[in-house]
């Protein structure tokens, strides 16, 4: 199950991504926002982060205007590794190297065509399981 969330700045791209997930029979849960009215991105970042940490969802997708504020918020949660990706290379690398569990993007930065390729890459690329990457991810979690 994929957790998806956005603020008003990411609303249209979230709609596109949900349509794409439906067309590809990928289950998701939409944590909002549900309208284009101005709202606060931390609210939706927290909902998605908590859904992943509780085990309800495996991965998340968060969209705001830039992808930055919503990702900064998600990364406050221990165990969340949110990666801002506006290209396919980064989406692949962050899955293989960082085992990123949240993809963030900015609707005002990336077009829908590229965004959907980034989503596909993020969702289908497995973590490498290389010892060096496991070790580095463990260090992220340490104080
Ligand atoms: C909203 O105007 C905008 O600040 C927000 O979507 C995001 O880009 C913040 O990082």
């Amino acid at each position: 199950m994929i957790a998806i969330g956005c603020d008003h700045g990411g609303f249209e791209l979230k709609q596109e991504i949900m349509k794409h997930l439906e067309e590809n029979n990928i289950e998701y849960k939409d944590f909002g926002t549900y309208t284009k009215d101005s709202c606060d991105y931390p609210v939706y970042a927290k909902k998605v982060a908590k859904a992943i940490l509780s085990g309800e969802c495996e991965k998340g997708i968060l969209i705001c205007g830039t992808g930055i504020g919503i990702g900064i918020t998600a990364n406050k949660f221990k165990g969340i590794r949110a990666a801002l990706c506006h290209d396919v290379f980064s989406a692949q690398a962050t899955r293989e190297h960082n085992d990123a569990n949240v993809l963030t993007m900015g609707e005002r930065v990336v077009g829908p065509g590229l965004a959907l390729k980034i989503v596909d890459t993020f969702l289908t690329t497995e973590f490498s399981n290389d010892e060096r990457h496991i070790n580095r991810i463990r260090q992220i979690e340490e104080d």
Side-chain angles (χ1 to χ4, degrees), residues 7-10 41 64-70 108:
D7 72 354
H8 57 287
Y41 58 78
C64 66
T66 59
I68 296 172
I70 211 156
R108 297 173 188 161

Side-chain angles (χ1 to χ4, degrees), residues 26-112:
I26 298 169
E27 286 192 323
Y28 67 87
K29 183 166 177 185
D30 179 9
F31 287 87
T33 183
Y34 304 113
T35 74
K36 284 186 186 176
D37 295 345
S38 182
C39 62
D40 301 323
Y41 58 78
V43 171
Y44 306 97
K46 290 177 185 182
K47 287 178 193 284
V48 165
K50 287 176 184 174
I52 294 167
L53 294 176
S54 73
E56 182 185 7
C57 296
E58 301 150 32
K59 291 193 184 98
I61 300 172
L62 285 169
I63 315 295
C64 66
T66 59
I68 296 172
I70 211 156
I72 289 172
T73 312
N75 275 321
K76 282 187 63 188
F77 289 78
K78 208 175 175 78
I80 295 296
R81 292 177 300 281
L84 174 64
C85 299
H86 288 134
D87 65 90
V88 169
F89 176 84
S90 298
Q92 181 178 337
T94 198
R95 286 289 309 127
E96 289 176 345
H97 292 204
N98 317 121
D99 197 15
N101 49 15
V102 175
L103 167 67
T104 82
M105 291 186 289
E107 182 185 311
R108 297 173 188 161
V109 181
V110 70

Side-chain angles (χ1 to χ4, degrees), residues 4 13-26 28 61 112-113 115-121 123:
I4 189 161
L13 182 54
K14 177 163 73 71
Q15 299 301 111
E16 294 268 357
I17 293 171
M18 290 192 300
K19 184 166 154 257
H20 180 71
L21 295 177
E22 282 162 29
E23 285 166 0
N24 288 282
N25 297 314
I26 298 169
Y28 67 87
I61 300 172
L116 297 183
K117 293 272 182 214
I118 292 168
V119 166
D120 288 344
T121 303
L123 296 182

